[in-house]
């Protein structure tokens, strides 16, 4: 049995900044409402045709591979987490294999929305622990802006999400006290529809029905969120899964050097920070600049924290996520 560690990190966000004031010009919203409820000041939106979920993921991955100090031919496996793939199928994992020019290594696509990166890290960690692979590339990337309802009808969701990608290279760690100590994953499908995008699924309405209806009032193509219900569940599950991870390693919240929560809402992060008695230096947030980038939010935040020197060797780093599914999870790392 080996441990795995994060050997390289990278992120990419599109240059195009969309402020709250920009949004207030195209829908009935305002900077005060968005900042007060979410903490978001601006987000990035891909300019049509300039990037895709895969291309952003590839750019983040190139950086992570370079920083890991390995050759791309040393990558043994690709894990790609997204809710906004370029194609309905195949998933973006194989497009990364092609566009990065990797060997014909396996590529796995993860469909766990905001928890996608945490699920991806957990999968990569198991492969490395078992000795099957030495270097695994894990990517979280989202292109939300192309699929949002940018009218007043969709404002409860569309002001929150932003585009971007983050990536990590996980590699074998021989010291059992270092690297990823444990991962903890959960789901509760009872609430699947509370944060969901129903079309173009193959569920009750088939694609031929949807095309036949061609109804401009059909909102099933847009994400739906029961905001307050999701918020209430998020604060409970975040707290539970962080404690679960700490207890599994005989640790307490006082041992945390850096908590990187999924960037769903600054108010959720602040709630968790207060609950665990953490200082501003112990929790990293960047939702103010990027909004909620779903599967990309943790690797973007982790990369920025690392670049700023806020994640150092020996630190106890905790990643935690909650989102659509519902799914949630945590990762406990001795850096
Ligand atoms: O990443 C996955 C996990 N996601 C989350 O954890 C998100 C959890 N939920 C939330 O963050 C919050 O519920 C939201 C930020 C999404 C919404 O905040 P809220 O305080 O729950 O607002 P609300 O949905 O209850 O809406 C309050 C009011 C409504 O108006 P009325 O009915 O009180 O007149 C909305 O129509 O705010 C209105 N509203 C807006 N007003 C201006 C909703 N969206 C907007 C908007 N601008 N963008």
């Amino acid at each position: 049995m080996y441990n795995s560690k994060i050997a390289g990190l990278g992120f990419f966000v599109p240059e195009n900044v969309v402020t709250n004031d920009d949004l207030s010009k195209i829908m009935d919203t305002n900077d005060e409402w968005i900042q007060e409820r979410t903490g978001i000041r601006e987000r990035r939106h891909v300019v049509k045709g300039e990037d895709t979920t895969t291309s952003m993921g590839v750019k983040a991955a190139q950086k992570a591979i370079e920083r890991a100090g390995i050759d791309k031919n040393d990558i043994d496996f690709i894990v790609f987490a997204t809710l906004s793939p370029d194609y309905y199928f195949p998933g973006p994992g194989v497009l990364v294999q092609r566009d990065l020019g990797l060997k014909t290594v396996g590529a796995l696509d993860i469909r766990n929305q905001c928890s996608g990166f945490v699920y991806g890290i957990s999968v990569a960690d198991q492969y490395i622990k078992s000795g099957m692979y030495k270097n695994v590339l894990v990517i979280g990337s989202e292109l939300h802006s192309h699929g949002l309802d940018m009218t007043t009808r969709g404002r409860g969701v569309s002001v929150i999400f932003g585009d971007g990608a983050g990536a990590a290279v996980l590699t074998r760690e021989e010291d059992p006290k270092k690297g990823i100590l444990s991962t903890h994953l959960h789901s509760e499908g009872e609430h699947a529809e509370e944060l969901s995008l129903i079309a173009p699924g193959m569920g009750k309405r088939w694609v031929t029905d949807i095309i036949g209806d061609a109804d401009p009032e059909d909102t099933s193509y847009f994400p739906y969120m029961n905001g307050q219900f999701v918020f209430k569940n998020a604060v409970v599950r975040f707290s539970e899964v962080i404690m679960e991870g700490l207890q599994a390693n005989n640790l307490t919240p006082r041992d945390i050097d850096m908590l990187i929560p999924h960037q769903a809402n600054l108010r959720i992060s602040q709630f968790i920070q207060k609950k665990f008695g953490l200082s501003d230096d112990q929790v990293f947030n960047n939702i103010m600049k990027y909004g909620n980038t779903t599967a990309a939010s943790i690797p973007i935040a982790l990369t920025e924290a690392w670049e700023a020197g806020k994640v150092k060797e020996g630190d106890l780093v905790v990643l935690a996520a909650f989102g659509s599914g519902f799914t949630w999870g945590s990762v406990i790392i001795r850096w």
Side-chain angles (χ1 to χ4, degrees):
M1 281 274 279
Y2 301 96
N3 261 14
S4 71
K5 69 173 176 193
I6 294 178
L9 286 163
F11 81 98
F12 172 84
V13 287
E15 277 178 19
N16 180 34
V17 175
V18 177
T19 64
N20 294 342
D21 285 340
D22 291 334
L23 293 179
S24 71
K25 289 176 193 134
I26 55 172
M27 64 180 81
D28 182 10
T29 190
N30 57 77
D31 180 53
E32 193 189 349
W33 189 97
I34 300 173
Q35 285 214 47
E36 196 181 298
R37 309 273 175 144
T38 70
I40 300 167
R41 290 200 298 267
E42 57 190 42
R43 71 288 291 140
R44 305 296 177 95
H45 283 178
V46 163
V47 172
K48 201 170 183 182
E50 280 192 1
D51 263 303
T52 66
T53 294
T54 301
S55 72
M56 290 192 288
V58 163
K59 288 175 196 172
Q62 280 166 329
K63 196 95 201 157
I65 293 168
E66 185 191 313
R67 283 172 167 168
I70 61 167
D71 188 273
K72 66 179 183 181
N73 290 316
D74 295 329
I75 298 287
D76 300 310
F77 195 64
I78 303 159
V79 180
F80 201 122
T82 188
L83 62 68
S84 49
D86 298 13
Y87 306 142
Y88 192 73
F89 73 83
V94 298
L95 305 181
V96 168
Q97 183 276 327
R98 179 187 67 190
D99 295 351
L100 267 179
L102 302 185
K103 293 185 295 188
T104 56
V105 296
L108 177 72
D109 295 291
I110 299 232
R111 295 291 310 270
N112 290 101
Q113 298 66 250
C114 303
S115 313
F117 189 76
V118 164
Y119 268 71
I121 290 281
S122 182
V123 169
D125 181 46
Q126 308 315 310
Y127 277 127
I128 292 173
K129 272 200 168 74
S130 71
M132 183 162 172
Y133 297 131
K134 202 169 167 200
N135 299 304
V136 180
L137 173 63
V138 184
I139 300 171
S141 180
E142 304 288 1
L143 204 175
H144 280 299
S145 59
H146 69 161
L148 297 172
D149 180 359
M150 300 299 276
T151 68
T152 299
R153 182 179 64 180
R155 66 182 179 174
V157 170
S158 52
V159 301
I160 295 168
F161 292 104
D163 303 336
V169 172
L170 267 68
T171 195
R172 187 184 288 177
E173 166 65 61
E174 309 278 345
D175 183 346
K177 294 200 183 73
K178 285 178 80 177
I180 293 174
L181 304 181
S182 64
T183 61
H184 306 268
L185 307 178
H186 294 278
S187 73
E188 189 176 27
E190 189 188 336
H191 304 308
E193 286 80 16
E194 302 294 349
L195 176 47
S196 60
L197 196 161
I198 300 299
M202 304 296 170
K204 290 185 184 138
R205 291 172 68 218
W206 290 24
V207 169
T208 42
D209 297 333
I210 296 166
I211 294 168
D213 291 349
D215 177 4
E217 297 304 316
D218 182 1
T219 54
S220 62
Y221 287 101
F222 296 121
Y224 164 78
M225 175 161 66
N226 182 350
Q228 294 198 3
F229 185 74
V230 174
F231 193 105
K232 282 179 197 149
N233 278 267
V235 291
V236 172
R237 297 309 194 185
F238 264 112
S239 308
E240 278 176 10
V241 83
I242 292 168
M243 274 316 289
E244 181 186 357
L246 292 171
Q247 281 168 356
N249 294 284
N250 294 319
L251 297 164
T252 73
R254 255 171 287 163
D255 295 308
I256 297 175
D257 292 301
M258 178 53 75
L259 170 66
I260 313 260
H262 160 56
Q263 302 291 290
N265 184 323
L266 191 59
R267 309 296 158 231
I268 295 177
S269 296
Q270 288 167 336
F271 179 93
I272 308 296
Q273 176 175 343
K274 200 166 165 208
K275 179 163 178 152
F276 289 129
L278 302 173
S279 70
D280 288 350
D281 289 344
Q282 290 168 292
V283 184
F284 190 83
N285 291 301
N286 60 7
I287 190 169
M288 305 73 93
K289 294 190 292 181
Y290 304 130
N292 178 345
T293 57
T294 317
S297 93
I298 289 181
I300 294 175
L302 181 58
T303 308
E304 280 204 331
W306 176 80
E307 285 175 351
K310 295 182 178 204
V311 173
K312 300 176 292 298
E313 195 170 349
D315 281 356
L316 187 80
V317 180
V318 176
L319 315 180
F322 173 87
S324 162
F326 293 151
T327 57
W328 62 102
S330 63
V331 180
I332 311 292
I333 309 170
R334 179 66 68 190
W335 206 267

